[in-house]
Amino acid sequence: MVDTSQEENQIQNVNNCEELIATPFLGNINAMCWNRKLKGDFSEIVDKVALIGNITELNKEDLLKLNLSEQGQLAREILINDLKVLKNCGASPVLNIIKNYDRDDAFPFFPTDVYSFHVDRSPIATDTFLCTYYGASSEIIPNSQATQKTVIPEIRNELKKLYDGPENGFDDFLSDYFFDLHYQPKPDATIINLGNGHLWKLAIDHQESKVLPCLHRAPIEKKGQKRLLLIC
């Protein structure tokens, strides 16, 4: 069970996948969780897949080819069902085994990779769904406990050194290079780990949204341990 007892609660718990998909975000709520204690050995699936690069995508056909133990088969059934349910709701879920994500070294003082707290943005109304089945889990943070990096004076001044256009185009520059999506936790911030097996829905930045987008980040992978992640 994910701890949602923080004084400033942004999380709503739901009872099943249908409720997770159908329930809209309102008020301070910008993260929803279907708490699950899953059966099966997801590590067996991770160990039996031949990896290609740092991120290897799995589909139903790949999963069905694996020769698995009884516990591995239970895990496979859950993965296939999660993919099916989300696809039937119009989403485009992707199942990945992750060794690590690429790090952003273009701007060392301001990395814009997924290890930084950030929000997702979309031109259409949609949400982010994710579940970590194995390995280190994603994290979220209350919006009031982080500061948009582009308004921090010392960071903003460094960004201005990269920009050589007109003053009124600076904010467009920040958006074009995704700097405005990233946030810095305050010193006393409460960082919430999303745990393993739970299916989450996170609010993103789009024009029709009635709530603030959810600040989240990928974890630093544990040495030698991969992650099994569904996301869409």
Side-chain angles (χ1 to χ4, degrees):
M1 177 72 70
V2 175
D3 179 15
T4 59
S5 62
Q6 286 77 16
E7 181 178 347
E8 184 181 0
N9 191 1
Q10 69 185 108
I11 301 169
Q12 179 176 338
N13 288 313
V14 296
N15 298 311
N16 52 57
C17 189
E18 291 74 18
E19 187 178 349
L20 180 71
I21 293 168
T23 306
F25 292 115
L26 294 172
N28 293 325
I29 301 296
N30 63 7
M32 286 188 194
C33 177
W34 175 24
N35 278 288
R36 305 186 295 179
K37 188 173 183 179
L38 300 181
K39 297 180 180 180
D41 186 355
F42 294 93
S43 66
E44 182 183 359
I45 292 175
V46 172
D47 291 339
K48 289 197 172 181
V49 172
L51 302 185
I52 303 172
N54 292 331
I55 301 177
T56 300
E57 183 177 343
L58 295 177
N59 56 36
K60 179 180 177 180
E61 291 69 30
D62 296 324
L63 292 168
L64 291 174
K65 291 176 183 177
L66 299 177
N67 184 18
L68 300 172
S69 68
E70 183 177 345
Q71 288 298 308
Q73 291 176 46
L74 289 174
R76 175 168 59 193
E77 290 174 7
I78 290 170
L79 295 174
I80 290 174
N81 186 66
D82 283 353
L83 288 168
K84 177 182 176 181
V85 170
L86 289 169
K87 285 180 180 178
N88 288 345
C89 293
S92 300
V94 176
L95 184 65
N96 289 326
I97 297 177
I98 302 165
K99 292 173 64 177
N100 62 271
Y101 291 104
D102 291 334
R103 302 304 298 259
D104 177 19
D105 56 5
F107 308 104
F109 75 96
F110 194 147
T112 57
D113 53 50
V114 295
Y115 297 107
S116 164
F117 274 111
H118 64 281
V119 300
D120 295 332
R121 177 179 292 155
S122 172
I124 61 173
T126 188
D127 304 302
T128 293
F129 290 86
L130 60 85
C131 176
T132 303
Y133 301 95
Y134 177 77
S137 301
S138 303
E139 297 171 326
I140 64 174
I141 189 173
N143 295 68
S144 65
Q145 295 183 23
T147 304
Q148 190 177 30
K149 286 185 175 182
T150 55
V151 304
I152 298 174
E154 55 268 31
I155 293 178
R156 193 172 182 87
N157 289 336
E158 287 298 315
L159 289 171
K160 285 184 176 179
K161 295 177 183 178
L162 302 175
Y163 178 67
D164 59 1
E167 181 64 29
N168 61 6
F170 183 60
D171 286 340
D172 289 336
F173 163 76
L174 297 178
S175 178
D176 290 343
Y177 286 90
F178 311 111
F179 292 120
D180 63 327
L181 300 182
H182 290 263
Y183 289 73
Q184 181 168 294
K186 296 179 181 178
D188 58 348
T190 299
I191 296 173
I192 303 165
N193 188 284
L194 301 189
N196 288 146
H198 314 302
L199 186 58
W200 287 84
K201 179 171 76 170
L202 307 181
I204 76 171
D205 181 19
H206 61 81
Q207 290 187 344
E208 298 178 32
S209 179
K210 296 180 172 61
V211 300
L212 293 173
C214 185
L215 310 183
H216 61 286
R217 71 179 177 189
I220 301 295
E221 294 81 6
K222 297 177 182 177
K223 186 175 181 180
Q225 185 186 73
K226 307 172 193 71
R227 301 177 67 208
L228 181 58
L229 175 74
L230 181 149
I231 191 165
C232 58

